[in-house]
Amino acid sequence: MSDLKTAPSRGAKAAGATADYLDQRTGVGNAVKFFARKVFPDHWSFFLGEIALYSFVTLLISGVFLTLFFVPSMAETHYEGPWPSMNGVEMSEAFSSTLRLSFEVRGGLLMRQIHHWAALIFMASIVVHMFRVFFTGAFRKPREINWVVGFVLLILGLAAGFSGYSLPDDVLSGNGLRITDGVVKAIPIIGSYLSYFIFGGEFPGTDLIPRLFTVHILLVPGLILALIGLHLFLMVMHKHTQYPGSGRSNTNVVGYPALPAYAGKLLFNFFVVFGVIALMAGTMSINPVWNYGPYDPSPVSAGAQPDWYMLFLEGSLRLMPGGTEIMLGSYTLSLNVIIPAMIVPGILFTLLGAYPFIEAFATGDKSEHHVLDRPRNRPFRTAFGVSLLVAFGILVLAGSNDLIATHFHMSINDITWAFRVLIFVGPWLAFLITKRICLGLQRKDRELVLHGHETGRIVRYASGEYIEVHKPLDAHERWLRVQHEAIRPLEIEPAEDSRGVRRKGYKADRLRQRLSQLFYEDRVEPVTPAELAAAHAAHGHHDDHAVETPHGVPAQVGAGAPASETAADERNH
């Protein structure tokens, strides 16, 4: 029986000819082969970065629609439209076009709310993704530059959110711009000149909305797109990090190939994210500017908070006591604005952005890392990250002190003073408690490796001795708890050499040693093969009652781990 061959269709021929044309002129075929063989680990936390990417795509799609109808002008007009309470009210063209978008353009309100919810989720996913990277040590060599890229993306996200939030020119956004004007004017010497430059004159001026519009739709999105491309390029170049486990090392990636499995999952995740944002936009109202009215500096009320990612700055300003101004000649140094609006955020962001380099300096570690840390195995880093989150959370709550006072019928002065104390005490307590928890979990891991899981089964020997039978860990569990490297404080050479001459660079080495002691002096060493052998020898007379495991006798600690994964294995070349 002869084989029947079906002639390719005209569409298939056209697609093949097009692919061949592009491949001969761009070499795209090699790129497709490379990405098709690229392996990605499968873990839910890696989805956090995808949420940020898909939220940004949603922002671009909805932003293009809004740009077609929004009028970025501060020219005065009188509103006439379907919202009766605003008829005849004098307002800017920006606010008037926002009302038209909300009530007259088909789908305009839905798009406005999709855009706003996507912005909130974009910032939230960036923050959570960054702290996933932070707590697992994914910023270590060779990914320090990628950490800096992600940090700059966070700053640009704040700029994009603030500039877009201010465009409608309503009372709420106008109050935020008024605070911004005050912060800018508090800058010594150049503050007033810088304010005139930004606002095109005395606040509010006539040029701010058009300038913010240009920043929001052109400058910041362009930079974000470029940095996202760089971020993804560095991720592909460095390989993907993976969580510790048997069969996973710094020389491989255990997971699924990009095509077809992972590509289909990425596409599905995009539609999930877009669908959730659209559902939120269709059912949950956000930023109803028609209730606020156009910007007017006279109305002041409780409940005027910015979006959550800027609320920490509002809280910092509210916590700062008044009366902290210093006269330097003819200049007034407004510490009550400079400290909360510049110094406090500057400290928080500087520590976050520079942390990978500080940790590398403290450890002296110059090797590459592609396997992630378990947060419990890096107590100082984990405690430091939690303390930053606690400080951020306290500032966010402080930014809502008026809402807390009105909802719970409490004194706003008492609430403010409580937060003033907490901003100093809370992060410190969070650091100590988190560090002790991490050390306790490490001790628990040692106990499990040496003695196994408690079974609750009590056995009595003929001698009258009672023991509890423990279930030994299988090879996979044991490897997870002993695979991490034990990092100890650095040892340095003495201050003087054998001839009594003071050594150059001793002060820098001493600083590095103290920093290393701060990081790693409190630690729990992982179980060594010798300790495990001694523990087995001590419990040898209990072996007759040991619980059998499905994997048999576990492998020796430190000797390696079984590679039982069925997924693809990507090797370095």
Side-chain angles (χ1 to χ4, degrees):
M1 183 177 180
S2 60
D3 295 333
L4 298 177
K5 295 183 179 180
T6 304
S9 64
R10 295 180 62 182
K13 289 182 179 180
T18 302
D20 184 65
Y21 180 89
L22 292 175
D23 186 36
Q24 292 183 22
R25 288 158 179 79
T26 63
V28 69
N30 293 329
V32 171
K33 291 178 182 178
F34 174 79
F35 283 106
R37 291 196 298 262
K38 195 68 181 175
V39 173
F40 292 90
D42 188 35
H43 194 273
W44 67 267
S45 66
F46 297 137
F47 183 49
L48 297 171
E50 295 179 32
I51 295 177
L53 177 61
Y54 301 150
S55 301
F56 183 69
V57 173
T58 305
L59 282 169
L60 294 179
I61 295 172
S62 57
V64 169
F65 179 90
L66 297 177
T67 304
L68 300 177
F69 301 96
F70 180 74
V71 180
S73 172
M74 299 182 73
E76 296 296 327
T77 185
H78 290 81
Y79 176 75
E80 297 293 338
W83 190 250
S85 63
M86 289 290 169
N87 280 332
V89 175
E90 186 178 13
M91 60 185 65
S92 66
E93 287 280 4
F95 189 78
S96 178
S97 65
T98 304
L99 293 181
R100 284 197 298 272
L101 255 171
S102 303
F103 299 117
E104 300 179 53
V105 176
R106 188 180 298 275
L109 180 58
L110 178 63
M111 281 297 181
R112 275 194 63 231
Q113 300 204 146
I114 285 178
H115 196 72
H116 206 135
W117 279 118
L120 297 182
I121 294 175
F122 175 63
M123 290 305 303
S125 55
I126 285 181
V127 171
V128 178
H129 174 64
M130 283 194 68
F131 273 98
R132 195 277 302 172
V133 172
F134 180 87
F135 285 120
T136 59
F139 54 77
R140 294 172 296 170
K141 184 182 178 181
R143 296 177 178 83
E144 302 96 332
I145 296 177
N146 219 5
W147 170 267
V148 174
V149 171
F151 176 75
V152 176
L153 280 171
L154 173 65
I155 302 300
L156 289 174
L158 294 175
F162 177 76
S163 59
Y165 178 84
S166 304
L167 287 178
D169 198 30
D170 60 296
V171 166
L172 197 58
S173 63
N175 286 332
L177 289 173
R178 191 68 183 92
I179 294 174
T180 303
D181 177 56
V183 172
V184 171
K185 286 181 176 176
I187 301 174
I189 301 177
I190 65 171
S192 59
Y193 302 101
L194 191 58
S195 174
Y196 266 65
F197 171 76
I198 293 174
F199 292 95
E202 187 62 49
F203 179 86
T206 58
D207 299 330
L208 182 62
I209 297 300
R211 291 177 179 180
L212 284 178
F213 185 72
T214 303
V215 169
H216 184 69
I217 72 165
L218 181 63
L219 180 60
V220 174
L223 292 174
I224 291 178
L225 277 173
L227 289 179
I228 287 178
L230 178 59
H231 191 71
L232 296 176
F233 170 78
L234 291 174
M235 184 195 71
V236 172
M237 184 178 70
H238 294 148
K239 299 189 310 182
H240 207 295
T241 55
Q242 57 186 340
Y243 282 91
S246 55
R248 303 172 187 180
S249 68
N250 286 322
T251 60
N252 69 354
V253 177
V254 178
Y256 296 93
L259 292 176
Y262 211 79
K265 182 179 292 188
L266 292 177
L267 186 62
F268 174 78
N269 290 341
F270 168 74
F271 287 114
V272 168
V273 172
F274 185 86
V276 169
I277 294 174
L279 180 64
M280 294 173 66
T283 57
M284 292 182 280
S285 177
I286 186 171
N287 199 25
V289 294
W290 51 89
N291 288 336
Y292 309 144
Y295 176 64
D296 183 348
S298 58
V300 177
S301 64
Q305 275 77 26
D307 284 336
W308 73 266
Y309 48 84
M310 298 298 295
L311 199 52
F312 76 98
L313 186 58
E314 176 84 7
S316 181
L317 287 166
R318 294 188 183 191
L319 291 186
M320 188 66 190
T324 51
E325 295 182 348
I326 299 175
M327 295 298 297
L328 297 177
S330 59
Y331 293 98
T332 301
L333 194 61
S334 301
L335 296 180
N336 56 337
V337 177
I338 293 175
I339 292 176
M342 302 178 195
I343 295 179
V344 171
I347 291 174
L348 292 176
F349 282 111
T350 300
L351 289 175
L352 185 62
Y355 185 87
F357 306 97
I358 297 174
E359 183 174 297
F361 178 76
T363 60
D365 185 9
K366 297 181 180 180
S367 58
E368 291 192 4
H369 298 275
H370 302 289
V371 178
L372 301 173
D373 287 326
R374 300 176 78 200
R376 67 181 64 182
N377 294 332
R378 296 292 179 262
F380 181 90
R381 180 203 299 157
T382 303
F384 178 76
V386 171
S387 66
L388 279 181
L389 287 175
V390 168
F392 180 82
I394 292 172
L395 292 178
V396 167
L397 291 174
S400 304
N401 59 353
D402 53 344
L403 292 179
I404 297 174
T406 55
H407 280 69
F408 295 97
H409 307 289
M410 300 171 64
S411 169
I412 192 170
N413 291 326
D414 293 341
I415 294 171
T416 302
W417 274 105
F419 283 131
R420 285 173 179 170
V421 174
L422 279 175
I423 194 60
F424 291 101
V425 177
W428 180 251
L429 286 177
F431 180 89
L432 294 178
I433 293 171
T434 304
K435 189 174 182 181
R436 301 314 303 174
I437 291 175
C438 290
L439 293 172
L441 290 173
Q442 287 189 62
R443 294 189 185 97
K444 180 63 176 179
D445 283 346
R446 279 186 60 89
E447 181 182 348
L448 286 174
V449 171
L450 293 175
H451 306 293
H453 294 287
E454 295 181 357
T455 63
R457 178 187 172 197
I458 305 300
V459 176
R460 182 188 180 195
Y461 284 94
S463 62
E465 176 187 4
Y466 287 90
I467 66 161
E468 180 185 7
V469 178
H470 287 69
K471 175 183 177 181
L473 273 66
D474 62 39
H476 303 281
E477 290 181 287
R478 184 180 300 166
W479 178 253
L480 181 65
R481 289 169 171 80
V482 301
Q483 51 79 34
H484 63 280
E485 179 184 1
I487 303 179
R488 301 175 178 86
L490 295 176
E491 298 292 337
I492 62 173
E493 298 179 4
E496 299 177 352
D497 59 20
S498 58
R499 295 173 294 177
V501 179
R502 189 166 183 84
R503 182 170 60 85
K504 292 181 179 180
Y506 172 75
K507 290 185 178 180
D509 289 347
R510 181 58 179 156
L511 174 63
R512 187 176 186 180
Q513 185 186 44
R514 288 177 179 174
L515 189 62
S516 178
Q517 289 172 346
L518 177 66
F519 273 65
Y520 302 111
E521 191 169 21
D522 295 332
R523 66 189 186 280
V524 176
E525 299 282 349
V527 177
T528 63
E531 288 176 320
L532 183 62
H536 284 177
H539 295 83
H541 62 287
H542 299 158
D543 288 346
D544 294 337
H545 303 281
V547 179
E548 291 295 331
T549 66
H551 298 283
V553 181
Q556 185 181 21
V557 175
S564 61
E565 306 286 347
T566 59
D569 192 340
E570 179 184 272
R571 300 289 179 181
N572 282 340
H573 297 284

